[in-house]
Amino acid sequence: GWVKKILSGGSQFWFAYGTSGSDEEIRSADNGYLYTLVTSVDMRSKVTDQLGTWRHVCNTWSLTTRAASVYYDGLLIGSVTTPSGRKVGRDGYVVLGNEFGSYG
């Protein structure tokens, strides 16, 4: 999605998904940090962090290949393999503009 960094310093999470089993199923920050199924993709060194500038961030994950990837302004900037046999929980909540704090 489209994100605009408005605060300096640290990671500002713009998307999160949590379930009863894990409050950190998926998290994505405005600076190239993605956390998927207990595996992080830390691409902060590849991201130009500019306040007030709109950026396009896309995160993908495949159950078949277990690959989690981060695209930033249309370019693939990082990818990792998530744990075998792990699936995204179905009983969760999506949070936009913040981290997922707790279930329910």
Side-chain angles (χ1 to χ4, degrees), residues 22-85:
S22 172
D23 61 355
E24 297 181 337
E25 287 283 285
I26 302 169
R27 292 186 299 163
S28 183
D30 58 5
N31 62 357
Y33 181 82
L34 169 66
Y35 186 87
T36 304
L37 302 173
V38 193
T39 307
S40 65
V41 183
D42 189 351
M43 296 291 105
R44 290 177 284 189
S45 64
K46 297 183 178 186
V47 170
T48 303
D49 219 7
Q50 294 175 323
L51 289 177
T53 301
W54 284 100
R55 300 288 188 186
H56 188 261
V57 181
C58 178
N59 306 315
T60 64
W61 175 70
S62 167
L63 174 61
T64 306
T65 65
R66 301 183 354 246
S69 301
V70 178
Y71 293 83
Y72 194 79
D73 287 338
L75 301 173
L76 175 64
I77 62 170
S79 184
V80 297
T81 302
T82 59
S84 180

Side-chain angles (χ1 to χ4, degrees), residues 18-20 22-24 93 95 99-104:
T19 66
S20 60
S22 172
D23 61 355
E24 297 181 337
Y93 293 96
V95 177
E99 251 179 297
F100 190 90
S102 63
Y103 184 78

